[in-house]
Amino acid sequence: MCGIVGYTGKKQAAPILLEGLSKLEYRGYDSAGVAVRNNKGKHEIVKTNGKLSVLSDKLKKGKALKGTCGIGHTRWATHGMPSEVNAHPHSNDDQTIVAVHNGIIENYVELKEKLTSKGYTFYSETDTEIATKLVDYYYKKWKSPLEAMVSFTLRVRGSYAIAVMFEDYPEEIYIARKDSPLIVGVADEGSFVASDVPAILKYTRNVYYVDNMEIARIEKGKATFYNVDRKVIEKQPVKIDWDADAAEKGGYKYYMLKEIREQPRAVTDTLNSLIKDGKIDLSEAGLSDEKLSSFKRIRIAACGSAYHVGMVAKYVIEDLARIPVDVDVASEFRYRSPVYGENELVVVISQSGETADSLEALRGAKAAGVATLAIVNVLGSAIAREADNVIYTKAGPEISVATTKAYSAQLIVSYALAVQLALINGKIDEDRYAQLIDEMLALPASMEKILSDDEWLKWFASKIANKKDVYFIGRGIDYAICLEGSLKLKEISYIHSDAYAAGELKHGHISLIEEGTLVIGLITQMRLAEKAVSNLSEVKTRGAQIMSVTLEGNYSLQEHSEFTFYVPKTEAYFTTSLAVIPLQLLSYYVCVAKGLDVDMPRNLAKCVSVE
Ligand code: BG6
């Protein structure tokens, strides 16, 4: 996510902004910038592409910019490639208003049209420039920063944490917040605003958390909070007892747990980028319905968890859209000699967009003249740039090596692709289309429900932490979920684990079952449940300890399982998004119980961009 820092006080602002931004680098970014009100009362803006060190060098560590009030930003690109033009701060044409923003303005197209009709010109590809000029529009209308911020808050849809300086109001910073974090600190050295605690922990441990639809005026030595009715709100500061390192994880001990819990947000943001007015709209990816309907076969290439998304996508697309789908690990795909037919599409799924095997798989498909689509989390990454079309997941930067929120966001894109293909291929009618979309939109709430109920998982994790072998079994989509659950467990807890198609056990794998072997059964595909339950019985009679993951209401597993985790009911196509969460949490808690480094498991890297 982007990082925001603001300061107004008696000290020089630029060095404080740079230092604050450096404490937010962990959030992931690709460009940075600051704006400071100089000694002539004018705003000076300096922005650079790349790492903070580039900006710091340009600013001579802040000495090149004089002034005691400023705002700074590290940008994680969501709209518009990483570039100096797209970097924040953005401003109106005469720089009398400058702003930084973290979040996604969903109605940016409508707002841009409105402002263009009012004579505004746009120079960047960002939603932030539109937000900044919207503030300018309302300031010109109301001649009041507070009124401008109130109107902005009422007019914008989406998520935002925005900090604004108005030339007519020296040494003041105005902020507004909805769904993207923003905090305020008032210390002896001055007043601060930031996206997260680490940026200001050096100056104060008393922090005001800005709530949704709140606005504040930040001045030297004080902060005044308002609601959208312009009523002053009395807020109590929260005492931060985290150490600096913990604070970078928002109070979480590890990024992985933070990112597991960010999944509803990642899914919501990804859904909002794909669904407009109740319809799936992939036009931003260059995939018109006409183009989509031309594809007669899909091949998916990916690595690790992204490959497991491809396995789910195969089941869902084939069943819903009746299009043949092949899935390969990219390291195999790139060395195979696929026999391509007419009208095929190769889909490469990658969080980083830099995985060497996946990139080469993409290049091989392009060399063969096949249409390519990338599903990527990092804007402007190699795979995104080289694919014919790209759909971005909106998971925000993912730090922990074991992917969770990016995996969940990739699933959403896969579902949307399957549902849209099914509609345009005439396999579902409008009612079924609307029903499937409603079910997708309901997933974040179900995910939140699961996340709020992890005490049992923590208990069970402590019981199984010393297991030597853990096997996951399931049928259909449940098998694809098993693949991801098994990878999560082995990659961070180092316990030997594997996933088997449940129907395959009798052809060899069942010889591995001994007294006490843990077998985790996934049973969310109810049409296959009876068969899957009998597979669990087979291993139980041979001494296996059973854990099950199934849907609320399916209590047939109680007698087989020592521990059963229930997830809310949803479309059979979408159960992965729910059933994977207890498996992620179980792996996390086992790893913590073993005292291992969750975020940096041995031998692994977050992105394998070399072969
Ligand atoms: C591995 C990561 O190195 O690469 C996995 O540890 C990831 O989490 C896999 O699924 C593929 O990476 P990417 O960036 O192409 O999705």
Side-chain angles (χ1 to χ4, degrees):
M1 283 311 170
C2 306
I4 290 174
V5 181
Y7 170 78
T8 181
K10 47 197 172 194
K11 302 178 80 169
Q12 286 303 304
I16 291 176
L17 297 176
L18 286 170
E19 183 188 34
L21 291 175
S22 73
K23 301 293 184 195
L24 299 179
E25 286 191 284
Y26 73 88
R27 299 164 64 87
Y29 69 102
D30 38 55
S31 57
V34 296
V36 171
R37 180 192 181 86
N38 67 22
N39 302 332
K40 299 184 187 63
K42 297 295 180 191
H43 294 137
E44 287 190 50
I45 300 174
V46 179
K47 323 195 270 191
T48 54
N49 202 6
K51 290 305 171 196
L52 212 46
S53 54
V54 179
L55 179 65
S56 183
D57 292 348
K58 194 170 181 180
L59 289 172
K60 297 185 176 35
K61 297 189 182 344
K63 295 188 182 63
L65 261 189
K66 299 297 181 199
T68 59
C69 181
I71 52 180
H73 187 265
T74 47
R75 178 175 181 249
W76 167 263
T78 55
H79 290 76
M81 293 303 166
S83 69
E84 194 166 318
V85 168
N86 288 334
H88 304 196
H90 286 281
S91 71
N92 57 1
D93 286 354
D94 60 6
Q95 291 195 190
T96 53
I97 290 178
V98 292
V100 292
H101 161 243
N102 175 23
I104 294 175
I105 307 292
E106 287 164 22
N107 58 337
Y108 71 96
V109 173
E110 166 215 332
L111 293 172
K112 185 171 185 176
E113 285 165 5
K114 167 194 166 85
L115 292 166
T116 303
S117 70
K118 302 284 184 185
Y120 282 86
T121 308
F122 295 91
Y123 310 99
S124 81
E125 304 163 271
T126 68
D127 55 346
T128 302
E129 184 185 7
I130 296 164
T132 306
K133 290 178 177 174
L134 186 66
V135 171
D136 176 66
Y137 170 75
Y138 285 128
Y139 180 67
K140 287 183 167 61
K141 183 172 181 178
W142 305 117
K143 304 284 183 282
S144 149
L146 178 60
E147 287 302 331
M149 299 302 279
V150 168
S151 296
F152 170 87
T153 298
L154 296 173
R155 188 73 179 77
V156 161
R157 285 207 317 276
S159 58
Y160 54 83
I162 186 167
V164 187
M165 291 196 294
F166 297 79
E167 188 176 279
D168 298 342
Y169 290 78
E171 311 305 306
E172 295 182 11
I173 298 171
Y174 288 80
I175 62 172
R177 184 257 183 191
K178 180 174 172 296
D179 291 342
S180 284
L182 205 54
I183 60 171
V184 171
V186 180
D188 298 340
E189 292 83 349
S191 299
F192 297 80
V193 62
S195 301
D196 202 353
V197 169
I200 65 172
L201 207 52
K202 175 180 174 181
Y203 300 100
T204 177
R205 285 186 172 274
N206 294 311
V207 162
Y208 297 93
Y209 284 85
V210 185
D211 290 316
N212 274 354
M213 312 297 276
E214 285 185 349
I215 292 154
R217 172 193 295 116
I218 315 297
E219 301 166 80
K220 281 183 182 47
K222 73 172 182 174
T224 312
F225 296 91
Y226 302 86
N227 62 20
V228 286
D229 297 325
R230 308 146 184 86
K231 297 262 184 307
V232 173
I233 311 168
E234 289 308 317
K235 290 177 77 75
Q236 295 308 313
V238 172
K239 179 105 174 103
I240 300 296
D241 55 8
W242 299 326
D243 59 50
D245 178 49
E248 287 195 359
K249 303 179 182 88
Y252 287 99
K253 187 168 171 54
Y254 294 104
Y255 286 116
M256 184 178 178
L257 186 57
K258 179 168 177 281
E259 289 158 4
I260 287 173
R261 294 192 186 285
E262 285 174 341
Q263 289 183 111
R265 162 96 274 146
V267 165
T268 298
D269 287 348
T270 304
L271 283 167
N272 286 338
S273 72
L274 298 170
I275 296 171
K276 311 262 194 267
D277 302 326
K279 304 273 187 219
I280 293 166
D281 176 0
L282 303 177
S283 56
E284 271 201 20
L287 289 173
S288 64
D289 284 355
E290 185 192 358
K291 188 166 189 179
L292 277 174
S293 62
S294 70
F295 297 128
K296 301 307 173 209
R297 182 187 200 96
I298 291 175
R299 298 173 193 258
I300 299 172
C303 301
S305 300
Y307 165 70
H308 299 152
V309 169
M311 288 295 285
V312 174
K314 172 183 174 63
Y315 287 109
V316 178
I317 294 171
E318 286 191 339
D319 196 276
L320 261 178
R322 309 307 294 146
I323 294 174
V325 179
D326 299 311
V327 192
D328 282 271
V329 287
S331 54
E332 287 298 310
F333 183 81
R334 61 179 289 199
Y335 294 112
R336 274 198 318 111
S337 309
V339 180
Y340 292 112
E342 294 297 313
N343 302 320
E344 292 201 10
L345 173 68
V346 168
V347 179
V348 175
I349 305 173
S350 174
Q351 186 284 127
S352 63
E354 300 293 348
T355 299
D357 285 324
S358 304
L359 179 57
E360 289 308 318
L362 172 73
R363 288 170 174 165
K366 289 191 71 177
V370 183
T372 57
L373 167 66
I375 298 175
V376 174
N377 195 44
V378 179
L379 232 64
S381 53
I383 291 171
R385 282 197 311 273
E386 296 189 24
D388 298 322
N389 302 96
V390 58
I391 297 177
Y392 284 110
T393 49
K394 303 287 184 181
E398 191 175 62
I399 312 295
S400 191
V401 165
T403 179
T404 50
K405 62 176 186 173
Y407 168 88
S408 288
Q410 288 164 359
L411 285 174
I412 293 299
V413 175
S414 306
Y415 302 154
L417 193 58
V419 171
Q420 195 62 11
L421 283 166
L423 179 75
I424 54 183
N425 289 341
K427 304 303 178 190
I428 59 174
D429 62 19
E430 290 288 347
D431 287 349
R432 179 66 172 138
Y433 180 72
Q435 183 190 39
L436 289 167
I437 288 178
D438 285 347
E439 281 291 330
M440 288 166 72
L441 292 169
L443 288 172
S446 298
M447 296 167 85
E448 289 289 7
K449 187 163 178 270
I450 296 168
L451 289 167
S452 66
D453 177 24
D454 66 352
E455 281 312 309
W456 280 104
L457 289 163
K458 211 180 288 182
W459 161 78
F460 193 69
S462 63
K463 280 170 63 74
I464 66 169
N466 295 319
K467 287 288 182 187
K468 292 288 172 279
D469 304 294
V470 180
Y471 301 118
F472 293 71
I473 66 171
R475 287 175 177 259
I477 287 175
D478 284 333
Y479 170 51
I481 303 171
C482 287
L483 289 167
E484 179 60 9
S486 175
L487 176 62
K488 280 287 143 316
L489 184 65
K490 75 177 87 171
E491 67 181 333
I492 64 174
S493 74
Y494 316 147
I495 292 175
H496 169 254
S497 176
D498 230 329
Y500 302 126
E504 192 58 10
L505 276 171
K506 53 188 172 295
H507 300 298
H509 309 301
I510 199 163
S511 65
L512 294 172
I513 305 302
E514 300 170 339
E515 189 61 34
T517 304
L518 176 59
V519 174
I520 299 179
L522 270 292
I523 312 224
T524 72
Q525 303 300 300
M526 298 322 289
R527 70 182 178 85
L528 302 170
E530 195 177 330
K531 295 279 185 206
V533 169
S534 64
N535 295 134
L536 279 180
S537 304
E538 285 162 19
V539 294
K540 186 170 173 65
T541 50
R542 289 165 176 79
Q545 178 188 15
I546 307 289
M547 169 184 166
S548 303
V549 178
T550 190
L551 301 179
E552 285 170 355
N554 174 31
Y555 301 114
S556 64
L557 300 167
Q558 295 278 34
E559 59 190 280
H560 297 285
S561 313
E562 181 173 333
F563 174 44
T564 301
F565 192 92
Y566 296 95
V567 297
K569 282 183 179 165
T570 183
E571 266 297 332
Y573 298 120
F574 308 149
T575 60
T576 307
S577 300
L578 304 183
V580 76
I581 296 177
L583 305 183
Q584 295 166 340
L585 287 167
L586 185 69
S587 302
Y588 171 81
Y589 287 125
V590 166
C591 183
V592 169
K594 296 185 76 172
L596 299 170
D597 181 343
V598 175
D599 288 330
M600 277 43 111
R602 69 188 181 199
N603 311 334
L604 290 176
K606 181 60 185 169
C607 169
V608 184
S609 55
V610 294
E611 301 202 30

